[in-house]
Amino acid sequence: MEELAIWMFKSVIWISGFGLIYLLFLQNERFFFLNRIFLETGIISSLVFPFVTIRYVIAVPEIQADVTGGPVTSLMDGAGSGVSTGSLLLVALWLTGALFIGVRQLVRTLSVAKSINRSEKISSYPVKLVRSSDYVTPFSFFSCVVVNPSINDNEAKEIMNHEMAHVRQMHWVDLLLSGLLCTVQWFNPVAWIYSRFIRQNHEYLADKTALQRTSHPAVYRAALLNQIAGSPVIDLGNSFNYSLNKKRFNMMKNIITSPYRKLRLLAILPVFALVMYAFAEPEYRLAAA
C-alpha cells in the first residue's frame, strides 16, 4: 500500500513538472512537433521515473551504527508492518475512480466503433471516409474520418486534409497515453489539463499540414468556423473544431521565430534534477576505520 502511494505521489509530481514547463514556456511556441515529443515524454516519465530512485552513500560511524541497529530499530520496523483501514479505503477509492474512468472510455470507444460500422463508408480517399449522422462535428478515429452527411464536398475536402494529418501522424497514440494518464491520475486536475494540452497541440499540427496541402486557405478557415457549434470531444478521436478560438487561428499564421527559442525545451532539465534529488534515498554504510 505504501509503495503504491509513494509511486502515485511521485507520478503526480513528474506530470505537474512537465505541465508547468509547457504552460510557462512552450504552449505559445510554433515548434509543434517538438512540443508533441515533450508532452509524450512527460507522460512516459510520470509512469516510469517513479520506479527510479537515486541512492547516495552516507558513512556512519561504528558506534552510531550499533545504536541504530538495536532494539529501537526493530521496534520501529514492527510498528510499520501493518496495513491500516484508512489505507485500504484510499486504495479502494482510487481503484473505483480508475475503473469508472476506464469503463467510461471503453464504452465511448465501442459506441463510436459501432456507429462507424453501420455508417456509409467511402474508400476513395487515402483513409476511410465515413458519413454518419450520429455526429455533428467531424473527427478522426484511428484510420477513419467521420463527417456528417450535411457537409458539402468543398468543406469535406478541407476537413479531410486536416483529419488525414491526425491519422498519418498517429495522434491516437498520444490519446491512448493521455487516456491512461487520466485513468491512473483521475483525481489530479493537472492530468486532465495535460490531456487538453496534447489535444490542442494535435490541432496545431493538423492545421499546419492542412494549410500546406490546401490551395484555398480561406475556405479551410471558413470550414472551421462552420463547425464552431460542435459536439463533445471523442476520447480517442481528434475533433475538427477542438479548441477553436482566436489563439488557434493565430497559430496558423506563418510567423518566423528564432530557432534558439527551441532551447526553452531545456527548461525541464532543472525540474528533472530537482525531482530526482528530492526523491533520492540515503544508503548508510559503516565508515572505514
Side-chain angles (χ1 to χ4, degrees):
M1 300 296 178
E2 182 181 354
E3 289 79 6
L4 176 62
I6 292 174
W7 179 88
M8 193 67 66
F9 178 70
K10 290 181 179 180
S11 182
V12 168
I13 295 298
W14 274 110
I15 201 64
S16 298
F18 272 85
L20 183 63
I21 294 300
Y22 184 83
L23 178 66
L24 294 178
F25 300 107
L26 303 176
Q27 68 168 338
N28 294 321
E29 299 298 335
R30 287 175 165 78
F31 35 85
F32 307 130
F33 177 74
L34 287 178
N35 276 352
R36 180 187 180 188
I37 298 299
F38 178 89
L39 291 169
E40 289 175 334
T41 302
I43 295 180
I44 295 172
S45 298
S46 71
L47 298 175
V48 174
F49 282 147
F51 292 108
V52 179
T53 302
I54 295 178
R55 301 184 184 277
Y56 57 95
V57 176
I58 296 181
V60 181
E62 187 173 352
I63 296 177
Q64 184 179 347
D66 291 340
V67 173
T68 55
V72 175
T73 304
S74 301
L75 182 61
M76 291 178 64
D77 291 342
S81 61
V83 178
S84 66
T85 303
S87 298
L88 290 174
L89 289 175
L90 286 176
V91 171
L93 177 62
W94 171 73
L95 285 175
T96 301
L99 184 62
F100 173 78
I101 298 298
V103 170
R104 186 184 68 172
Q105 290 179 346
L106 179 61
V107 169
R108 289 181 176 180
T109 301
L110 293 177
S111 176
V112 175
K114 183 178 179 181
S115 175
I116 290 175
N117 188 52
R118 66 169 182 262
S119 300
E120 175 193 2
K121 301 175 186 66
I122 302 173
S123 58
S124 59
Y125 292 91
V127 297
K128 190 176 295 183
L129 175 64
V130 180
R131 292 276 189 176
S132 174
S133 57
D134 294 339
Y135 304 97
V136 177
T137 303
F139 64 93
S140 60
F141 183 77
F142 294 99
S143 63
C144 296
V145 175
V146 181
V147 299
N148 192 281
S150 63
I151 295 177
N152 61 51
D153 291 340
N154 287 334
E155 283 192 14
K157 180 180 178 181
E158 302 300 333
I159 290 170
M160 284 297 296
N161 284 335
H162 177 96
E163 298 300 334
M164 280 168 55
H166 288 306
V167 174
R168 287 172 170 170
Q169 296 173 21
M170 299 178 68
H171 290 170
W172 59 268
V173 174
D174 302 10
L175 296 182
L176 284 174
L177 285 173
S178 64
L180 176 61
L181 174 69
C182 290
T183 300
V184 173
Q185 296 189 22
W186 58 267
F187 56 88
N188 180 19
V190 175
W192 298 95
I193 295 172
Y194 201 92
S195 180
R196 290 183 61 86
F197 288 157
I198 288 176
R199 288 182 177 275
Q200 187 181 60
N201 191 63
H202 283 175
E203 298 313 312
Y204 297 157
L205 282 164
D207 286 337
K208 180 179 180 180
T209 302
L211 287 171
Q212 291 171 347
R213 293 176 59 88
T214 185
S215 55
H216 304 286
V219 176
Y220 176 77
R221 292 182 174 89
L224 273 175
L225 291 173
N226 287 342
Q227 302 300 321
I228 199 167
S231 60
V233 176
I234 307 301
D235 285 338
L236 290 179
N238 291 101
S239 295
F240 183 63
N241 71 338
Y242 185 80
S243 189
L244 187 54
N245 50 34
K246 183 178 179 180
K247 180 180 177 181
R248 181 170 167 186
F249 282 98
N250 286 336
M251 294 300 250
M252 295 181 197
K253 297 178 181 178
N254 187 20
I255 299 176
I256 299 176
T257 58
S258 170
Y260 293 106
R261 296 180 69 89
K262 296 179 181 179
L263 294 176
R264 290 186 167 207
L265 290 163
L266 299 180
I268 194 61
L269 294 182
V271 175
F272 186 95
L274 182 62
V275 175
M276 281 296 190
Y277 176 79
F279 292 117
E281 295 182 358
E283 183 176 329
Y284 297 97
R285 295 181 183 177
L286 291 177

